């Protein structure tokens, strides 16, 4: 079985497991007067993450979902408006932020442009109306198929937001993929946003965890919100140790995932029955519109799985496939053969 459902499937490396075994730990839920935890390994991971993103401080949380939730609840108070696009993970998945409890935030929507980036005009309208307290961006854009927003666009949006006193949170679950694809260091991509989160447990392959990064003051407040949400972990150095290895040793390897996605995409781009835009294959995801086949994504997903390829139906017509460390170049060749043969039988 070639499993292309998500990069969250990535299993920890031997180096990560060894680092976890050897990790020096303490009670990460207790802090000194400077707000540093008693777990030295968690502190090292947080420092490494803050440096990577060019921010003063960072906080280790159990998941990307909680990183976003904590960010939104730190930026905003109950009942405030937040600018989002309907397909952002922050809105689509982090439902708790927009429920009456615990976040109570209200979404106001901006549009995406035809290249799946944020539409500047509609963001400008939101900002100028001046109702929102926070604007959310996502890089890479998960539901758009891993597309990137470049530094110039992020900076333009942030300038406009900040002129109007609006904070910007960047959901950078796959920020390191964006950085590689755009050839722009993470800290430059994140330079103008107020907060950024990234996941250790996607393509980086660590078992658990995400980092939320921002100013020291913001991260201290985020620590109080994390606690209130039940996100405080104790000897979390065990997990942080794997995260440190993930950042140090897996970051550059993500380029292989991008090359594998390219290879898969090129091999199936001209397959009758599906539409695939090679321009949209920018990182480690390949997205197929299967509507020309006359079948919906759900049944295509099932058909592919019966033939040995697991993929995700992400909407009625769209199938998403994600590359990660545990699927290699040969898997790409095998998967594209299976996909090509399957669509051939469908169209007979
Ligand atoms: C995966 C993901 C998250 C959530 O991360 P989890 O660790 O799965 O909770 C948030 N935003 C984006 C864009 C993601 O892809």
């Amino acid at each position: 079985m070639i499993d292309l459902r998500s990069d969250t499937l990535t299993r920890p490396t031997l180096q990560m497991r060894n680092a976890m075994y050897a990790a020096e730990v303490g009670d990460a839920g207790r802090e000194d007067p400077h707000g540093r935890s008693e777990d030295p390994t968690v502190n090292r991971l947080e420092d490494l993450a803050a440096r990577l993103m060019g921010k003063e401080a960072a906080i280790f949380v159990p998941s990307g979902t909680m990183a976003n939730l904590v960010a939104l609840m730190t930026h905003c108070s109950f009942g405030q408006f937040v600018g989002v696009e309907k397909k952002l993970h922050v809105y689509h998945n982090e439902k708790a932020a927009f429920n009456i409890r615990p976040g109570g935030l209200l979404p106001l929507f901006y549009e995406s442009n035809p290249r799946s980036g944020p539409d500047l005009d509609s963001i400008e309208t939101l900002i100028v109306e001046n109702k929102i307290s926070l604007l959310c961006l996502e890089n890479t854009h998960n539901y758009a198929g891993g597309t990137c927003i470049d530094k110039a666009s992020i900076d333009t949006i942030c300038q406009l937001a900040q002129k109007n006193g609006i904070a910007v949170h960047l959901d950078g679950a796959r920020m390191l993929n964006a950085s590689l694809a755009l050839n722009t260091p993470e800290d430059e991509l994140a330079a103008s946003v107020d907060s950024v989160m990234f996941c250790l447990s996607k393509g980086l392959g660590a078992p658990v965890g995400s980092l939320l990064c921002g100013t020291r003051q913001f991260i201290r407040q985020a620590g109080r919100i994390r606690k209130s949400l039940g996100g405080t972990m104790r000897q979390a150095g065990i997990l942080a140790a794997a995260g440190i290895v993930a950042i140090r040793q897996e970051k550059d390897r993500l380029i292989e995932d991008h090359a594998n996605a390219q290879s898969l995409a090129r091999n199936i781009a001209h397959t009758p029955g599906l539409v695939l835009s090679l321009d949209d294959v920018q990182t480690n995801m390949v997205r197929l519109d299967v509507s020309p086949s006359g079948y919906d994504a759900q049944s295509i997903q099932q058909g592919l799985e019966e033939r040995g390829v697991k993929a995700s139906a992400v909407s009625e017509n769209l199938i998403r496939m994600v590359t990660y460390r545990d699927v290699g170049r040969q898997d790409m060749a095998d998967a594209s053969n299976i996909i090509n043969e399957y669509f051939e039988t469908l169209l007979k």
Side-chain angles (χ1 to χ4, degrees), residues 12 22 27 63-64 80 110 128 131 133 142 144 158-159 165-166 179 183 191 203 215 217 254 260 263 268 299 312:
D27 186 345
S63 67
Q80 284 188 314
Y110 64 84
V128 172
K131 277 199 220 141
S133 320
N142 183 352
C158 289
Q159 255 176 16
I166 296 164
S179 163
N183 201 15
T215 64
Q217 193 194 355
L254 294 174
N260 283 338
S263 146
I268 58 175
S299 56
S312 311

Side-chain angles (χ1 to χ4, degrees), residues 24-100:
E24 196 188 335
V25 296
D27 186 345
R30 286 173 201 285
E31 26 180 79
D32 68 15
H34 307 289
R36 298 317 315 267
S37 88
E38 290 184 11
D39 188 306
T41 310
V42 168
N43 293 349
R44 268 174 55 220
L45 172 64
E46 290 177 345
D47 291 345
L48 181 62
R51 234 180 301 130
L52 179 69
M53 293 294 155
K55 299 293 175 197
E56 287 175 8
I59 185 170
F60 185 42
V61 288
S63 67
T65 302
M66 188 174 281
N68 282 331
L69 186 56
V70 167
L72 267 60
M73 289 177 65
T74 308
H75 280 295
C76 304
S77 41
F78 193 90
Q80 284 188 314
F81 286 99
V82 180
V84 291
E85 182 231 307
K86 279 201 177 126
K87 289 191 170 153
L88 293 196
H89 204 285
V90 157
Y91 175 68
H92 205 266
N93 300 51
E94 274 75 286
K95 288 290 182 210
F98 295 96
N99 285 345
I100 290 296

Side-chain angles (χ1 to χ4, degrees), residues 63-65 68 89 94 138 140 142 171 173-174 197 199 201-202 210:
S63 67
T65 302
N68 282 331
H89 204 285
E94 274 75 286
E138 187 170 311
T140 64
N142 183 352
D171 176 347
R174 295 185 182 82
M197 85 83 164
C199 291
S201 55
K202 303 273 165 88
S210 294

Side-chain angles (χ1 to χ4, degrees), residues 160-173:
L160 192 63
Q162 274 139 22
K163 248 197 303 189
N164 290 272
I166 296 164
V168 178
H169 171 65
L170 176 59
D171 176 347

Side-chain angles (χ1 to χ4, degrees), residues 114-116 144-147 277-283 285-287:
R115 301 201 56 243
S116 301
T147 51
S277 156
L278 286 174
D279 283 347
D280 289 344
V281 185
Q282 297 172 10
T283 54
M285 295 184 190
V286 177
R287 224 175 45 154

Side-chain angles (χ1 to χ4, degrees), residues 271-274 292-295 342-348:
T271 302
L274 62 85
S293 71
Y295 294 87
Y342 176 51
F343 275 84
E344 221 170 272
T345 62
L346 281 182
L347 297 183
K348 254 197 202 126

